[in-house]
Amino acid sequence: MAASKVLTGARVVLPTGIVDGGRVIVDGTRIADTGTGTGAGTGTAPADAETYDVSGHWLVPGFVDLHNHGGGGASFSGSADDVLTAVRTHRAHGTTTLVASTVTDDMDVLTRQAGLLSELAEQGEIAGVHFEGPFISPCRKGAHSEALLRHPDPAEVRKLLDAARGHAKMVTLATELPGGLDSVRLLAEHGVIAAVGHTDATYEQTVEAIDAGATVATHLFNAMPALGHRAPGPIAALLEDERVTVELINDGVHLHPAALELAFHHAGAARVAFITDAMDAAGSGDGRYLLGPLEVEVADGVARLVEGDSIAGSTLTLDRAFQRAVTVDGLPVEDVVAALSANPARLLGLHDRIGSLEAGKDADLVLLDEEFTLKGVLRRGEWVVGPHLG
């Protein structure tokens, strides 16, 4: 059982706003109370609680990553040990809840991997599985093997869902392909997120997909037609519809700052989810890696296919996405917290347990200094990192 803890003095980001000089009480694996440390409603800390003075720091909810392929030199398409290596790498950067993303491969390979990942979901190591491919457009394949792509046949989509044993959380589809809309309807019926991505769809086709039940834009702007004034394409449809949450990769490589600002302006902070789309090199270093069956060269932290030079995921971690969003992009801290925690938790149906600092929720917290550099990570009441208060 995790020891009880009291963290005092920080700027605490709550659903109701920022509290200066706040206090968070952790009792075991859960948040027992949040408050200012004075007055009514602040709760009583257990007598044996460990107390930490975190003045001069920020306390925010643990980060939730909807779209992540690996890290620490390991992939979610690998062995159980590989998966755990990647999970622990991202936990050390504040991601306390993570959905493991696969990449396009043979259906037999994907179903086997779904079985392995479902076991780790049952153990609480990951929050579920995201299938990115093989049901995507060859015109917008990005770092996916074109030879392995296929149309989104609902029977094959169902095969992946069955293999994941209730732990499939999201499937990325080019919904304009034959079987696309029927597959979206199937996913919606089973409570699985249908995400529009790696698509060559028109504006009108994207509207059809949203009406059929698609609710997420996979890494908006990337791997889809550019916004045009006569042919607005999927970007306009995804930004304008209040039913859609848009993923954004805020690493300074995938998006120009103006594109990020455009997305926040039109979708609003409640409809943005920051993701990493990380591959093996996240938290590791430059060099040669594999993304599925394809070889990737990482140089200066940017991952590109060896053949074709397409961007191949990212080396991003969510603590860096947070820091960039506040210090470079100038976004309000509350909006960044929503994009990194509350919004993805809601999409996953886990908002009753994670995504915000509230009594009764899991004690998943991230400690940041005044420059928004990570100084501590608490997951279910246990320190994963730190706290480093020097």
Side-chain angles (χ1 to χ4, degrees):
M1 186 70 172
S4 298
K5 299 171 179 63
V6 183
L7 292 87
T8 65
R11 302 189 75 186
V12 183
V13 183
L14 303 176
T16 52
I18 297 172
V19 175
D20 289 320
R23 180 174 74 166
V24 175
I25 300 174
V26 173
D27 189 1
T29 63
R30 303 276 180 169
I31 298 172
D33 197 72
T34 62
T36 62
T38 59
T42 59
T44 302
D48 60 348
E50 301 169 348
T51 299
Y52 300 86
D53 183 352
V54 290
S55 300
H57 291 73
W58 291 83
L59 268 180
V60 301
F63 308 143
V64 182
D65 197 352
L66 292 171
H67 186 157
N68 187 317
H69 296 281
S75 166
F76 292 129
S77 296
S79 67
D81 285 344
D82 289 336
V83 173
L84 291 174
T85 294
V87 166
R88 290 165 184 158
T89 296
H90 286 281
R91 278 185 194 160
H93 291 274
T95 299
T96 51
T97 301
L98 182 150
V99 175
S101 301
T102 62
V103 295
T104 294
D105 214 319
D106 287 321
M107 285 296 293
D108 288 345
V109 172
L110 290 173
T111 54
R112 286 198 301 271
Q113 194 64 19
L116 182 152
L117 292 171
S118 68
E119 292 178 9
L120 293 169
E122 288 158 8
Q123 295 168 21
E125 298 290 350
I126 61 174
V129 185
H130 164 217
F131 297 101
E132 187 181 26
F135 311 117
I136 61 177
S137 172
C139 301
R140 305 287 175 177
K141 65 183 185 297
H144 292 255
S145 173
E146 185 169 354
L148 297 171
L149 300 183
R150 57 183 65 214
H151 291 161
D153 180 348
E156 293 200 321
V157 174
R158 179 62 186 267
K159 185 178 179 181
L160 291 181
L161 301 191
D162 290 345
R165 303 201 301 264
H167 296 289
K169 293 297 183 181
M170 184 162 67
V171 178
T172 293
L173 305 160
T175 55
E176 75 278 8
L177 295 176
L181 293 180
D182 286 340
S183 294
V184 169
R185 295 185 186 102
L186 171 71
L187 292 168
E189 288 168 5
H190 285 80
V192 178
I193 297 166
V196 178
H198 288 276
T199 177
D200 204 40
T202 64
Y203 172 89
E204 292 76 14
Q205 288 170 328
T206 308
V207 169
E208 280 189 283
I210 297 167
D211 287 340
T215 56
V216 165
T218 292
H219 43 54
L220 187 75
F221 298 108
N222 296 112
M224 60 183 63
L227 185 66
H229 64 291
R230 290 194 181 92
I235 293 172
L238 294 162
L239 279 176
E240 72 184 8
D241 198 301
E242 294 184 356
R243 295 170 289 182
V244 176
T245 298
V246 298
E247 294 181 348
L248 299 176
I249 307 170
N250 192 27
D251 61 353
V253 175
H254 282 78
L255 296 176
H256 189 282
L260 183 83
E261 184 180 0
L262 178 73
F264 264 91
H265 177 76
H266 286 278
R271 289 178 45 221
V272 171
F274 281 140
I275 61 162
T276 59
D277 193 18
M279 46 78 70
D280 302 23
S284 187
D286 289 353
R288 288 278 179 111
Y289 297 85
L290 287 176
L291 184 60
L294 301 179
E295 195 170 15
V296 175
E297 179 77 32
V298 178
D300 297 326
V302 179
R304 294 186 180 275
L305 290 182
V306 172
E307 294 186 13
D309 202 40
S310 174
I311 293 177
S314 85
T315 62
L316 185 65
T317 52
L318 284 182
D319 58 330
R320 286 170 44 213
F322 192 118
Q323 187 177 50
R324 179 180 176 85
V326 177
T327 63
V328 177
D329 302 311
L331 294 172
V333 172
E334 304 98 305
D335 290 354
V336 179
V337 167
L340 283 168
S341 303
N343 299 342
R346 170 181 48 79
L347 279 170
L348 295 173
L350 299 175
H351 53 286
D352 60 330
R353 284 184 36 218
I354 61 170
S356 59
L357 301 183
E358 296 180 85
K361 292 193 175 184
D362 288 356
D364 295 349
L365 299 88
V366 175
L367 184 69
L368 305 165
D369 67 15
E370 292 180 341
E371 286 76 41
F372 300 96
T373 300
L374 185 141
K375 293 296 182 180
V377 180
L378 199 68
R379 183 176 185 267
R380 297 179 186 173
E382 297 277 8
W383 289 111
V384 175
V385 174
H388 301 299
L389 303 173

